[in-house]
Amino acid sequence: MNKRFTRILATSIAAAALVGSLGACGKGSASATSDGASEITMWTHNAGNPEELAAIKAVVDSYNKSGAAKAQIKVQAFPQESYNDSVVSAAAAGKLPCIVDIDGPNVPNWAWAKYLTPLKLSADLSKNLPSTVAKWEGETYAVGYYDVALAMMARASDLKAAGVRVATVEKPWTKEEFQDALTKLKALGKWQYPLDMGTAGSGEWLPYGYSPFLQSFGADLINRDGFQSADGTLNGDKAVAWAEWFRGLADQGFMAKKSGKDSTQDFLNNKSGLLYTGSWAADKARKALGKDLVVMPTVDLGNGPKIGGASWQWGVTSGCKNADAAMDYLSYSLKPENLAAVAKATGTIPATDAAAALLPAFAEGGANRIFMEFSRNYAVMRPETPAYPFIATEYGKAVQDILAGADPKTVLDKACLLYTSRCV
């Protein structure tokens, strides 16, 4: 591993000064309750999400009262904004709980930092959507109850008025068709910008939302053969073509360089005709628009439609004193009825077909079944490397610079140079 990449790994821990203390994370969380039963702690990022937190607590309560629990699970919730910092600080202090939830693309980073231990579950993870199982160096470190999927949404009536066909899984829009659709929608004169791509977004939305277009062009955030370099992958001809296309959407007046803060609500308020969003917006949009809503795959820019894979997942920490009980709880939590309950509460894609069958919207023929098809057919995991948090930050900066008018090749060369020593 080259020195530059080693530095990237250290930086991506999010608090470089704490890296030297990571060895202390061998002290897991386990204690005894007043009745003598073992108790282990589980952390979640859902303090600001009452629906999901309630669903998670219901699964925990069911396990605790099952009569077969190997330990009593105690839930501690944190606000999402401070959650990752709390985990890093706890790792440095040797005070990690036994079970944590993890944003999927961060799993390799946490596994590399020895926060996590490989999972040993009785549940059959081969039945899960691939994007809900997180691996690093051949080992499974986390599993999720659900995923989400990116999509294009529009009103059928608007597409008909513009003479634009509805894109389908069998026949998504090509780059040329997308250009034609935007031109025709703009000609209707109904919106200042016919397309809303969520360009006001920040943080993880930038790589999650826009790197799939980069990948559809045939480029990527990094060369996945060894994850050591981005040379020719992030700054090659295909990547530059993506950048020029993306900014061109704004230059041609198809989308705003900075959209409104709530793209879904703007779409429902008829401020845009075509919305790039995720499955999380479907129920609200369908309730407002009824049968006029159409959900379509993202655009095929040359290498098929692509969407980001992996959402929040669960793992067991390397220092847990009762890892057997933690694994037992996670196995229990993966029962179809539990997955279905969490997916129903969160409006997300259940991780298995068995869970989906319990939810009419996601069962065969259901209104949201299409999102499972998108996930199975188009999902690309964000680079499964400990350096991903660093890569994501630098790519996000590149996206914003490109939208602001910077030269695409210069911007991409600069981002590439942060990954490797030669990118020109």
Side-chain angles (χ1 to χ4, degrees):
M1 184 175 290
N2 63 55
K3 292 181 179 179
R4 180 181 292 271
F5 208 72
T6 301
R7 177 181 59 78
I8 290 172
L9 291 179
T11 302
S12 69
I13 288 296
L18 298 178
V19 173
S21 303
L22 290 176
C25 71
K27 301 177 182 177
S29 174
S31 60
T33 60
S34 57
D35 61 4
S38 177
E39 178 182 272
I40 61 177
T41 302
M42 182 174 85
W43 282 8
T44 175
H45 72 288
N46 285 311
N49 188 341
E51 293 83 6
E52 184 166 359
L53 181 57
I56 296 300
K57 285 183 173 180
V59 175
V60 169
D61 288 344
S62 175
Y63 177 78
N64 286 344
K65 296 173 182 177
S66 67
K70 292 189 175 182
Q72 295 293 292
I73 311 300
K74 178 183 177 182
V75 179
Q76 186 171 353
F78 294 77
Q80 182 170 337
E81 295 76 16
S82 61
Y83 178 74
N84 285 352
D85 289 342
S86 297
V87 171
V88 171
S89 297
K95 295 183 178 180
L96 281 173
C98 270
I99 304 172
V100 292
D101 63 359
I102 317 119
D103 197 4
N106 290 335
V107 172
N109 182 279
W110 289 17
W112 170 78
K114 302 191 184 303
Y115 295 178
L116 306 175
T117 191
L119 295 181
K120 293 178 173 58
L121 307 179
S122 60
D124 181 5
L125 300 186
S126 70
K127 303 296 184 182
N128 278 50
L129 287 170
S131 58
T132 65
V133 180
K135 296 184 177 183
W136 183 59
E137 294 191 335
E139 298 271 16
T140 298
Y141 280 90
V143 60
Y145 299 158
Y146 56 76
D147 202 358
V148 292
L150 292 163
M152 293 284 183
M153 296 184 188
R155 292 171 174 81
S157 55
D158 286 335
L159 297 183
K160 183 177 180 179
V164 174
R165 76 171 180 89
V166 176
T168 64
V169 173
E170 295 74 22
K171 193 176 180 182
W173 284 336
T174 63
K175 180 161 69 76
E176 292 73 24
E177 283 185 293
F178 188 52
Q179 175 77 20
D180 181 64
L182 292 174
T183 300
K184 290 176 176 177
L185 287 168
K186 188 171 179 64
L188 293 178
K190 292 182 63 175
W191 315 280
Q192 181 180 4
Y193 302 107
L195 173 66
D196 192 326
M197 293 278 270
T199 48
S202 59
E204 185 58 25
W205 166 252
L206 298 173
Y208 176 75
Y210 305 137
S211 67
F213 294 125
L214 175 76
Q215 292 154 352
S216 188
F217 262 91
D220 207 343
L221 294 169
I222 194 168
N223 183 342
R224 299 193 184 220
D225 182 10
F227 298 100
Q228 294 293 307
S229 171
D231 191 15
T233 303
L234 181 63
N235 65 335
D237 292 344
K238 293 177 180 178
V240 173
W242 157 77
E244 292 173 343
W245 168 83
F246 188 62
R247 193 173 73 207
L249 298 176
D251 291 344
Q252 295 173 83
F254 292 147
M255 73 174 186
K257 290 184 178 180
K258 187 173 183 179
S259 62
K261 291 184 178 180
D262 190 337
S263 292
T264 299
Q265 193 58 51
D266 284 348
F267 170 68
L268 298 180
N269 290 339
N270 213 14
K271 292 184 178 180
S272 62
L274 186 62
L275 175 65
Y276 178 60
T277 185
S279 51
W280 56 82
D283 289 344
K284 183 177 182 179
R286 192 170 287 112
K287 183 177 180 180
L289 303 180
K291 293 183 179 180
D292 199 26
L293 177 71
V294 290
V295 177
M296 301 177 288
T298 60
V299 184
D300 179 356
L301 298 168
N303 289 268
K306 308 292 182 185
I307 62 174
S311 188
W312 285 85
Q313 303 175 346
W314 296 93
V316 176
T317 60
S318 59
C320 178
K321 296 177 181 178
N322 196 348
D324 182 56
M327 301 293 180
D328 186 66
Y329 165 74
L330 286 186
S331 297
Y332 175 92
S333 73
L334 292 170
K335 291 182 177 181
E337 58 267 32
N338 292 332
L339 299 182
V342 175
K344 182 178 180 180
T346 56
T348 51
I349 304 166
T352 66
D353 285 333
L358 301 177
L359 299 172
F362 285 98
E364 290 283 356
N368 287 339
R369 183 73 178 191
I370 193 170
F371 293 114
M372 291 193 77
E373 295 183 48
F374 292 169
S375 182
R376 288 195 187 277
N377 292 329
Y378 308 141
V380 177
M381 301 296 282
R382 279 156 282 182
E384 294 166 294
T385 166
Y388 176 75
F390 183 86
I391 292 170
T393 297
E394 296 309 316
Y395 176 77
K397 292 176 183 176
V399 167
Q400 292 173 325
D401 288 345
I402 288 164
L403 281 176
D407 176 66
K409 176 63 173 172
T410 301
V411 169
L412 295 174
D413 278 341
K414 179 181 177 182
C416 180
L417 278 166
L418 292 169
Y419 303 173
T420 186
S421 60
R422 183 178 61 83
C423 281
V424 293

